[in-house]
Each structure stands twice: as structure tokens, then as C-alpha cells.
Amino acid sequence: MYQFDIAAGTKADLYHDLHAALDALTGDEPDAIANMANAAALIWQYLPDLNWAGFYRTIGDELVLGPFQGKAACIRIPFGEGVCGTAAATTSTQLVEDVHAFPGHIACDAASRSELVVPIVRDGRVIAVLDLDSPEPARFNAEDAAGCEALARLLANRLG
């Protein structure tokens, strides 16, 4: 189907290549679930040190579990609760070096130590969040946030 040669160079190279691969995978596909599933699989395959990668979809005033890679996860998260709910309520990326220090953190996997959550916004409304967890403390940095924000912008018009 597709052959991806994701660079093993800098983080900037990695995210550039991930963006190109995600663009190729989702460009002609109108189904939101299929696009989230392929995005989660691609991120899981190419970003190191993750123990969860996936999506929560906005349904009403809460986030509902979408396609993911990793252990079974929390199914529903109200806006404003936990890292994902905070990202959705504030429409801002949440970069958490130590999830145990985050007030109200929802522990779906006790092995998670750090988290990056990026809201996916269309027409000024959060339609989903991209959620990445790692067993490594401080796994994510500003470069990861910027790379995932670019992925979220790409997906914003490809999720339904």
C-alpha cells in the first residue's frame, strides 16, 4: 500500500516525515475513524518511548475514546478533567513532564509518567484530542508539541 521511510535523524526530520506520511495516508480518505486509526498506528510505530498513542473524540461536552495503540484506556473524560479534558476545555496543548504532579490527572495506565495532549480544532471548536503517554518522565518537549500540533492541524479537516 504505502512505503514510508521515516528519518532517524533529528526530531524535526522525524516530525516532517511523520507529517508527510500522515498526509499520504489520510489525504483521500473521508472516514474520520479510519484516519484516526492510521494516525495512531503511524505515531505508535515511529515515535519512541510511548506506552499509549491515540485519540479522544468530542461527543457533546465530553471526550470519548477513539482509535488508539496501547493498553485499554478510560472511555469517557469530561471537559476540564485530567490532562485530556484540560486540553479540550482550554483549547491549548498540554505538555506534562510529570503526570503525578498534574492536578486531577486521570491514571488509565499506572506506568505513564509524562503526557502530551494536543487539541484538534476545526471552526474554533475542539473536535478531538491527540493523546500521547510515555513511561519516561519528561519524555516530551516543545519540539514534540510543535510536531504534534502540525499533525493535529493536518487532521482537523480529515476527521469527519
Side-chain angles (χ1 to χ4, degrees):
M1 179 172 154
Y2 298 99
Q3 288 287 47
F4 299 115
D5 184 15
I6 304 291
T10 67
K11 270 193 184 183
D13 292 337
L14 174 64
Y15 281 107
H16 177 269
D17 291 349
L18 270 174
H19 191 278
L22 187 58
D23 187 29
L25 275 173
T26 62
D28 294 329
E29 179 52 57
D31 187 81
I33 300 298
N35 286 336
M36 283 186 274
N38 267 333
L42 191 68
I43 291 166
W44 180 258
Q45 183 176 0
Y46 290 107
L47 288 185
D49 302 318
L50 299 181
N51 63 329
W52 203 89
F55 296 88
Y56 281 90
R57 303 167 298 121
T58 298
I59 308 290
D61 59 353
E62 65 184 353
L63 297 169
V64 178
L65 183 64
F68 69 92
Q69 300 282 316
K71 291 183 178 181
C74 304
I75 297 172
R76 294 179 183 272
I77 301 173
F79 273 37
E81 291 189 19
V83 181
C84 289
T86 298
T90 62
T91 318
S92 63
T93 296
Q94 300 296 304
L95 176 61
V96 181
E97 291 184 354
D98 177 3
V99 295
H100 301 295
F102 189 91
H105 174 253
I106 301 168
C108 295
D109 181 352
S112 292
R113 298 287 309 278
S114 59
E115 189 167 4
L116 174 62
V117 181
V118 178
I120 301 172
V121 180
R122 184 173 61 226
D123 299 326
R125 186 177 84 78
V126 175
I127 59 168
V129 298
L130 169 61
D131 182 17
L132 305 179
D133 292 2
S134 175
E136 301 296 321
R139 155 61 181 90
F140 307 105
N141 62 22
E143 203 169 4
D144 293 298
C148 288
E149 287 167 348
L151 297 177
R153 284 190 299 276
L154 174 68
L155 288 170
N157 292 316
R158 297 179 182 182
L159 299 184

PDB file of all heavy atoms in Angstrom, residues 19-45:
ATOM      1  N   HIS A  19       4.576  13.864   9.279  1.00  0.00           N
ATOM      2  CA  HIS A  19       3.558  14.709   8.660  1.00  0.00           C
ATOM      3  C   HIS A  19       3.312  14.280   7.220  1.00  0.00           C
ATOM      4  O   HIS A  19       2.162  14.141   6.783  1.00  0.00           O
ATOM      5  CB  HIS A  19       3.998  16.180   8.734  1.00  0.00           C
ATOM      6  CG  HIS A  19       2.933  17.149   8.369  1.00  0.00           C
ATOM      7  ND1 HIS A  19       2.638  17.465   7.056  1.00  0.00           N
ATOM      8  CD2 HIS A  19       2.082  17.869   9.135  1.00  0.00           C
ATOM      9  CE1 HIS A  19       1.660  18.340   7.038  1.00  0.00           C
ATOM     10  NE2 HIS A  19       1.298  18.610   8.286  1.00  0.00           N
ATOM     11  N   ALA A  20       4.394  14.053   6.461  1.00  0.00           N
ATOM     12  CA  ALA A  20       4.262  13.630   5.059  1.00  0.00           C
ATOM     13  C   ALA A  20       3.566  12.269   4.964  1.00  0.00           C
ATOM     14  O   ALA A  20       2.702  12.060   4.106  1.00  0.00           O
ATOM     15  CB  ALA A  20       5.631  13.585   4.393  1.00  0.00           C
ATOM     16  N   ALA A  21       3.934  11.342   5.849  1.00  0.00           N
ATOM     17  CA  ALA A  21       3.318  10.016   5.833  1.00  0.00           C
ATOM     18  C   ALA A  21       1.843  10.094   6.198  1.00  0.00           C
ATOM     19  O   ALA A  21       0.991   9.462   5.566  1.00  0.00           O
ATOM     20  CB  ALA A  21       4.064   9.084   6.791  1.00  0.00           C
ATOM     21  N   LEU A  22       1.516  10.902   7.218  1.00  0.00           N
ATOM     22  CA  LEU A  22       0.121  11.049   7.619  1.00  0.00           C
ATOM     23  C   LEU A  22      -0.697  11.714   6.524  1.00  0.00           C
ATOM     24  O   LEU A  22      -1.842  11.327   6.270  1.00  0.00           O
ATOM     25  CB  LEU A  22       0.033  11.849   8.919  1.00  0.00           C
ATOM     26  CG  LEU A  22      -1.346  11.954   9.547  1.00  0.00           C
ATOM     27  CD1 LEU A  22      -1.923  10.577   9.860  1.00  0.00           C
ATOM     28  CD2 LEU A  22      -1.278  12.811  10.804  1.00  0.00           C
ATOM     29  N   ASP A  23      -0.103  12.673   5.846  1.00  0.00           N
ATOM     30  CA  ASP A  23      -0.768  13.321   4.725  1.00  0.00           C
ATOM     31  C   ASP A  23      -1.096  12.298   3.638  1.00  0.00           C
ATOM     32  O   ASP A  23      -2.202  12.266   3.105  1.00  0.00           O
ATOM     33  CB  ASP A  23       0.104  14.447   4.179  1.00  0.00           C
ATOM     34  CG  ASP A  23      -0.593  15.286   3.123  1.00  0.00           C
ATOM     35  OD1 ASP A  23      -1.829  15.414   3.159  1.00  0.00           O
ATOM     36  OD2 ASP A  23       0.120  15.829   2.264  1.00  0.00           O
ATOM     37  N   ALA A  24      -0.131  11.430   3.334  1.00  0.00           N
ATOM     38  CA  ALA A  24      -0.343  10.407   2.305  1.00  0.00           C
ATOM     39  C   ALA A  24      -1.422   9.405   2.730  1.00  0.00           C
ATOM     40  O   ALA A  24      -2.251   8.996   1.913  1.00  0.00           O
ATOM     41  CB  ALA A  24       0.968   9.680   2.006  1.00  0.00           C
ATOM     42  N   LEU A  25      -1.420   9.023   4.003  1.00  0.00           N
ATOM     43  CA  LEU A  25      -2.394   8.043   4.493  1.00  0.00           C
ATOM     44  C   LEU A  25      -3.816   8.580   4.542  1.00  0.00           C
ATOM     45  O   LEU A  25      -4.768   7.828   4.337  1.00  0.00           O
ATOM     46  CB  LEU A  25      -2.011   7.581   5.903  1.00  0.00           C
ATOM     47  CG  LEU A  25      -1.011   6.459   6.021  1.00  0.00           C
ATOM     48  CD1 LEU A  25      -0.629   6.275   7.483  1.00  0.00           C
ATOM     49  CD2 LEU A  25      -1.559   5.171   5.449  1.00  0.00           C
ATOM     50  N   THR A  26      -3.976   9.851   4.857  1.00  0.00           N
ATOM     51  CA  THR A  26      -5.312  10.387   5.118  1.00  0.00           C
ATOM     52  C   THR A  26      -5.850  11.295   4.019  1.00  0.00           C
ATOM     53  O   THR A  26      -7.023  11.654   4.055  1.00  0.00           O
ATOM     54  CB  THR A  26      -5.321  11.186   6.442  1.00  0.00           C
ATOM     55  OG1 THR A  26      -4.428  12.308   6.327  1.00  0.00           O
ATOM     56  CG2 THR A  26      -4.910  10.318   7.616  1.00  0.00           C
ATOM     57  N   GLY A  27      -5.031  11.640   3.057  1.00  0.00           N
ATOM     58  CA  GLY A  27      -5.402  12.634   2.057  1.00  0.00           C
ATOM     59  C   GLY A  27      -6.652  12.321   1.268  1.00  0.00           C
ATOM     60  O   GLY A  27      -7.438  13.221   0.987  1.00  0.00           O
ATOM     61  N   ASP A  28      -6.867  11.080   0.921  1.00  0.00           N
ATOM     62  CA  ASP A  28      -8.024  10.715   0.097  1.00  0.00           C
ATOM     63  C   ASP A  28      -9.099   9.950   0.863  1.00  0.00           C
ATOM     64  O   ASP A  28     -10.053   9.470   0.260  1.00  0.00           O
ATOM     65  CB  ASP A  28      -7.566   9.861  -1.089  1.00  0.00           C
ATOM     66  CG  ASP A  28      -6.689  10.641  -2.045  1.00  0.00           C
ATOM     67  OD1 ASP A  28      -6.890  11.866  -2.170  1.00  0.00           O
ATOM     68  OD2 ASP A  28      -5.794  10.027  -2.658  1.00  0.00           O
ATOM     69  N   GLU A  29      -8.935   9.837   2.182  1.00  0.00           N
ATOM     70  CA  GLU A  29      -9.879   9.045   2.971  1.00  0.00           C
ATOM     71  C   GLU A  29     -10.833   9.960   3.737  1.00  0.00           C
ATOM     72  O   GLU A  29     -10.403  10.738   4.581  1.00  0.00           O
ATOM     73  CB  GLU A  29      -9.131   8.147   3.954  1.00  0.00           C
ATOM     74  CG  GLU A  29     -10.033   7.316   4.834  1.00  0.00           C
ATOM     75  CD  GLU A  29     -11.073   6.534   4.046  1.00  0.00           C
ATOM     76  OE1 GLU A  29     -10.678   5.738   3.163  1.00  0.00           O
ATOM     77  OE2 GLU A  29     -12.281   6.714   4.305  1.00  0.00           O
ATOM     78  N   PRO A  30     -12.141   9.857   3.489  1.00  0.00           N
ATOM     79  CA  PRO A  30     -13.102  10.727   4.172  1.00  0.00           C
ATOM     80  C   PRO A  30     -13.536  10.225   5.558  1.00  0.00           C
ATOM     81  O   PRO A  30     -14.146  10.981   6.315  1.00  0.00           O
ATOM     82  CB  PRO A  30     -14.295  10.741   3.214  1.00  0.00           C
ATOM     83  CG  PRO A  30     -14.229   9.413   2.531  1.00  0.00           C
ATOM     84  CD  PRO A  30     -12.753   9.107   2.404  1.00  0.00           C
ATOM     85  N   ASP A  31     -13.214   8.985   5.918  1.00  0.00           N
ATOM     86  CA  ASP A  31     -13.711   8.431   7.174  1.00  0.00           C
ATOM     87  C   ASP A  31     -12.814   8.831   8.353  1.00  0.00           C
ATOM     88  O   ASP A  31     -11.624   8.515   8.386  1.00  0.00           O
ATOM     89  CB  ASP A  31     -13.797   6.910   7.088  1.00  0.00           C
ATOM     90  CG  ASP A  31     -14.462   6.333   8.319  1.00  0.00           C
ATOM     91  OD1 ASP A  31     -15.705   6.347   8.369  1.00  0.00           O
ATOM     92  OD2 ASP A  31     -13.731   5.917   9.243  1.00  0.00           O
ATOM     93  N   ALA A  32     -13.403   9.508   9.329  1.00  0.00           N
ATOM     94  CA  ALA A  32     -12.658  10.009  10.483  1.00  0.00           C
ATOM     95  C   ALA A  32     -12.033   8.890  11.302  1.00  0.00           C
ATOM     96  O   ALA A  32     -10.877   8.989  11.725  1.00  0.00           O
ATOM     97  CB  ALA A  32     -13.570  10.857  11.364  1.00  0.00           C
ATOM     98  N   ILE A  33     -12.777   7.821  11.553  1.00  0.00           N
ATOM     99  CA  ILE A  33     -12.264   6.718  12.375  1.00  0.00           C
ATOM    100  C   ILE A  33     -11.083   6.045  11.690  1.00  0.00           C
ATOM    101  O   ILE A  33     -10.070   5.747  12.328  1.00  0.00           O
ATOM    102  CB  ILE A  33     -13.379   5.698  12.690  1.00  0.00           C
ATOM    103  CG1 ILE A  33     -14.525   6.372  13.466  1.00  0.00           C
ATOM    104  CG2 ILE A  33     -12.831   4.502  13.457  1.00  0.00           C
ATOM    105  CD1 ILE A  33     -14.152   6.949  14.812  1.00  0.00           C
ATOM    106  N   ALA A  34     -11.183   5.814  10.398  1.00  0.00           N
ATOM    107  CA  ALA A  34     -10.063   5.218   9.659  1.00  0.00           C
ATOM    108  C   ALA A  34      -8.834   6.112   9.739  1.00  0.00           C
ATOM    109  O   ALA A  34      -7.706   5.626   9.932  1.00  0.00           O
ATOM    110  CB  ALA A  34     -10.459   4.985   8.200  1.00  0.00           C
ATOM    111  N   ASN A  35      -9.026   7.410   9.597  1.00  0.00           N
ATOM    112  CA  ASN A  35      -7.894   8.333   9.647  1.00  0.00           C
ATOM    113  C   ASN A  35      -7.263   8.393  11.031  1.00  0.00           C
ATOM    114  O   ASN A  35      -6.039   8.428  11.162  1.00  0.00           O
ATOM    115  CB  ASN A  35      -8.309   9.719   9.160  1.00  0.00           C
ATOM    116  CG  ASN A  35      -8.487   9.751   7.656  1.00  0.00           C
ATOM    117  OD1 ASN A  35      -7.909   8.949   6.925  1.00  0.00           O
ATOM    118  ND2 ASN A  35      -9.292  10.680   7.174  1.00  0.00           N
ATOM    119  N   MET A  36      -8.084   8.381  12.081  1.00  0.00           N
ATOM    120  CA  MET A  36      -7.537   8.353  13.438  1.00  0.00           C
ATOM    121  C   MET A  36      -6.798   7.044  13.700  1.00  0.00           C
ATOM    122  O   MET A  36      -5.739   7.036  14.333  1.00  0.00           O
ATOM    123  CB  MET A  36      -8.648   8.550  14.468  1.00  0.00           C
ATOM    124  CG  MET A  36      -9.111   9.977  14.591  1.00  0.00           C
ATOM    125  SD  MET A  36     -10.297  10.216  15.940  1.00  0.00           S
ATOM    126  CE  MET A  36     -11.823   9.792  15.091  1.00  0.00           C
ATOM    127  N   ALA A  37      -7.344   5.936  13.209  1.00  0.00           N
ATOM    128  CA  ALA A  37      -6.703   4.636  13.414  1.00  0.00           C
ATOM    129  C   ALA A  37      -5.330   4.587  12.750  1.00  0.00           C
ATOM    130  O   ALA A  37      -4.348   4.147  13.359  1.00  0.00           O
ATOM    131  CB  ALA A  37      -7.602   3.517  12.874  1.00  0.00           C
ATOM    132  N   ASN A  38      -5.248   5.038  11.511  1.00  0.00           N
ATOM    133  CA  ASN A  38      -3.956   5.044  10.831  1.00  0.00           C
ATOM    134  C   ASN A  38      -2.989   6.036  11.471  1.00  0.00           C
ATOM    135  O   ASN A  38      -1.793   5.764  11.569  1.00  0.00           O
ATOM    136  CB  ASN A  38      -4.120   5.339   9.339  1.00  0.00           C
ATOM    137  CG  ASN A  38      -4.240   4.068   8.532  1.00  0.00           C
ATOM    138  OD1 ASN A  38      -3.735   3.024   8.916  1.00  0.00           O
ATOM    139  ND2 ASN A  38      -4.899   4.162   7.395  1.00  0.00           N
ATOM    140  N   ALA A  39      -3.483   7.179  11.910  1.00  0.00           N
ATOM    141  CA  ALA A  39      -2.621   8.162  12.577  1.00  0.00           C
ATOM    142  C   ALA A  39      -2.059   7.582  13.868  1.00  0.00           C
ATOM    143  O   ALA A  39      -0.857   7.704  14.143  1.00  0.00           O
ATOM    144  CB  ALA A  39      -3.385   9.448  12.850  1.00  0.00           C
ATOM    145  N   ALA A  40      -2.898   6.944  14.673  1.00  0.00           N
ATOM    146  CA  ALA A  40      -2.433   6.345  15.923  1.00  0.00           C
ATOM    147  C   ALA A  40      -1.382   5.264  15.656  1.00  0.00           C
ATOM    148  O   ALA A  40      -0.359   5.196  16.341  1.00  0.00           O
ATOM    149  CB  ALA A  40      -3.614   5.765  16.709  1.00  0.00           C
ATOM    150  N   ALA A  41      -1.622   4.435  14.648  1.00  0.00           N
ATOM    151  CA  ALA A  41      -0.661   3.370  14.312  1.00  0.00           C
ATOM    152  C   ALA A  41       0.663   3.947  13.837  1.00  0.00           C
ATOM    153  O   ALA A  41       1.741   3.467  14.220  1.00  0.00           O
ATOM    154  CB  ALA A  41      -1.256   2.448  13.252  1.00  0.00           C
ATOM    155  N   LEU A  42       0.604   4.971  13.008  1.00  0.00           N
ATOM    156  CA  LEU A  42       1.820   5.596  12.487  1.00  0.00           C
ATOM    157  C   LEU A  42       2.631   6.234  13.616  1.00  0.00           C
ATOM    158  O   LEU A  42       3.859   6.034  13.711  1.00  0.00           O
ATOM    159  CB  LEU A  42       1.436   6.646  11.443  1.00  0.00           C
ATOM    160  CG  LEU A  42       2.556   7.223  10.605  1.00  0.00           C
ATOM    161  CD1 LEU A  42       3.119   6.155   9.664  1.00  0.00           C
ATOM    162  CD2 LEU A  42       2.036   8.410   9.795  1.00  0.00           C
ATOM    163  N   ILE A  43       1.976   6.980  14.480  1.00  0.00           N
ATOM    164  CA  ILE A  43       2.657   7.614  15.606  1.00  0.00           C
ATOM    165  C   ILE A  43       3.260   6.556  16.525  1.00  0.00           C
ATOM    166  O   ILE A  43       4.408   6.665  16.958  1.00  0.00           O
ATOM    167  CB  ILE A  43       1.677   8.538  16.364  1.00  0.00           C
ATOM    168  CG1 ILE A  43       1.339   9.753  15.488  1.00  0.00           C
ATOM    169  CG2 ILE A  43       2.239   8.964  17.708  1.00  0.00           C
ATOM    170  CD1 ILE A  43       0.138  10.551  15.967  1.00  0.00           C
ATOM    171  N   TRP A  44       2.493   5.531  16.822  1.00  0.00           N
ATOM    172  CA  TRP A  44       2.948   4.440  17.693  1.00  0.00           C
ATOM    173  C   TRP A  44       4.203   3.765  17.117  1.00  0.00           C
ATOM    174  O   TRP A  44       5.129   3.430  17.841  1.00  0.00           O
ATOM    175  CB  TRP A  44       1.819   3.426  17.855  1.00  0.00           C
ATOM    176  CG  TRP A  44       2.132   2.253  18.720  1.00  0.00           C
ATOM    177  CD1 TRP A  44       2.454   0.995  18.307  1.00  0.00           C
ATOM    178  CD2 TRP A  44       2.112   2.212  20.147  1.00  0.00           C
ATOM    179  NE1 TRP A  44       2.641   0.181  19.393  1.00  0.00           N
ATOM    180  CE2 TRP A  44       2.439   0.904  20.532  1.00  0.00           C
ATOM    181  CE3 TRP A  44       1.851   3.163  21.124  1.00  0.00           C
ATOM    182  CZ2 TRP A  44       2.513   0.510  21.867  1.00  0.00           C
ATOM    183  CZ3 TRP A  44       1.923   2.785  22.453  1.00  0.00           C
ATOM    184  CH2 TRP A  44       2.253   1.471  22.817  1.00  0.00           C
ATOM    185  N   GLN A  45       4.208   3.581  15.819  1.00  0.00           N
ATOM    186  CA  GLN A  45       5.321   2.896  15.170  1.00  0.00           C
ATOM    187  C   GLN A  45       6.595   3.736  15.156  1.00  0.00           C
ATOM    188  O   GLN A  45       7.684   3.197  15.294  1.00  0.00           O
ATOM    189  CB  GLN A  45       4.941   2.521  13.743  1.00  0.00           C
ATOM    190  CG  GLN A  45       6.016   1.736  13.021  1.00  0.00           C
ATOM    191  CD  GLN A  45       5.582   1.292  11.641  1.00  0.00           C
ATOM    192  OE1 GLN A  45       4.471   1.556  11.197  1.00  0.00           O
ATOM    193  NE2 GLN A  45       6.458   0.601  10.959  1.00  0.00           N
TER     194      GLN A  45
END
